[in-house]
Each structure stands twice: as C-alpha cells, then as structure tokens.
Amino acid sequence: MMIDALIPVSWRSRPRSFVALMSMYESSFLRLRSLCGDPARLSGDHVSRVEGDCDLVLTITDQTPYTTGLQLTYLWPGEDEAALLRFPDVEIRVYADARMAEARRWAPEARHPALQDLRRGMGRELHERWGMNIMLNKWLEYCLERGHRFG
C-alpha cells in the first residue's frame, strides 16, 4: 500500500493553488484505493460497518472506461429508528488514468457548525473545490483510521 505522506516531492506548491489542489486529488485517490480497492471493479452498493461508528456506504453511480462516479456517505440515526440521515453524501469522480479522485459535490445542507462556517467562507471556484476536497481527503483518512474497508 502506498502512503501519500511518504511520497517525496521535487517541487513546492502554494496552499490553495491549482497545483496543491491536484496534489490533494492524488492523495484522495490513494486513500480511496486503500478504502475500497479499485473502484472500477465495483458495482452497486457496499456497506462498511465498524463498531462504534456509523455505517459507511459506497454507491457506484456510473462507470466509463477511464472514470468511475461514486457516492460516499455515513448513515446517521434519524429522529425515529426507521429514518436514517445520509451525510456528508459526497459525490466523487475517480480518474483512473490520472490516478486522481475529486469531490464534485457534497450534501447541500451541513448540520455541523464548523462545516456551515466552511461553506460560508467559500467563494471563488478554486476555493470551493479546495474546501470540498480537503474535507474529502481528511474524511477518507478518518474512515481508514476508524477501520472502514470495502471488500
């Protein structure tokens, strides 16, 4: 398994720059591969259950020869036992040939105050993409640390 933090780089990028964003996509790709293997080989819905954590659901939404679309979300208990909330419900595009994974969209309504503040602070396109993808990258890291895996 490749660990993105151990990959040497021969260049420096400015935080929140286009180059840094592409590096974030590469890091997310490696983390996603650790979580589910090759997404191009998956289809349908997959659930990862870890004691003490919400169920993590991965749904393959579309596939082309070079890309895979998927949604990744937690299932949170709702107000009644039958209702489950899906959050953060991230839509991800995986580019197999470029070895990148990009968060394209995430749940339109954030319930956590820190996520609401992050959303309010986003403006321009690059900053919006940076916010979505830093969140994806850190969440993938968290899910892996919790022990989530899709077999």
Side-chain angles (χ1 to χ4, degrees):
M1 169 173 62
M2 289 185 89
I3 300 173
D4 61 329
L6 301 179
I7 298 173
V9 294
S10 59
W11 46 266
R12 299 211 187 269
S13 64
R14 292 183 337 271
R16 295 186 175 265
S17 68
F18 178 76
V19 172
L21 182 62
M22 295 300 104
S23 297
M24 182 75 59
Y25 290 178
E26 290 174 318
S27 175
S28 293
F29 177 86
L30 294 174
R31 291 179 179 180
L32 188 62
R33 289 289 300 246
S34 295
L35 187 65
C36 69
D38 183 359
R41 295 178 180 253
L42 300 175
S43 63
D45 296 324
H46 304 268
V47 179
S48 173
R49 290 187 171 92
V50 172
E51 189 174 329
D53 201 10
C54 296
D55 288 352
L56 184 64
V57 178
L58 178 129
T59 303
I60 302 299
T61 57
D62 65 272
Q63 291 180 319
T64 69
Y66 302 105
T67 64
T68 300
L70 59 95
Q71 288 208 236
L72 190 65
T73 193
Y74 267 141
L75 296 181
W76 296 86
E79 293 182 17
D80 62 64
E81 289 185 27
L84 291 172
L85 302 174
R86 298 175 70 89
F87 193 79
D89 209 19
V90 180
E91 180 182 302
I92 303 167
R93 173 70 53 201
V94 179
Y95 304 92
D97 54 344
R99 299 180 51 86
M100 294 183 173
E102 173 190 20
R104 305 279 305 194
R105 183 195 64 77
W106 44 310
E109 182 180 317
R111 295 174 189 230
H112 191 281
L115 292 174
Q116 291 172 348
D117 289 343
L118 179 64
R119 283 250 171 105
R120 276 193 284 278
M122 288 191 254
R124 299 186 340 240
E125 179 74 15
L126 183 60
H127 293 297
E128 185 173 333
R129 287 179 186 261
W130 181 267
M132 285 190 298
N133 283 281
I134 192 82
M135 178 272 209
L136 171 64
N137 193 270
K138 293 300 180 184
W139 187 45
L140 290 171
E141 179 182 31
Y142 174 80
C143 290
L144 289 166
E145 286 177 356
R146 298 288 297 169
H148 284 286
R149 298 292 185 283
F150 298 100

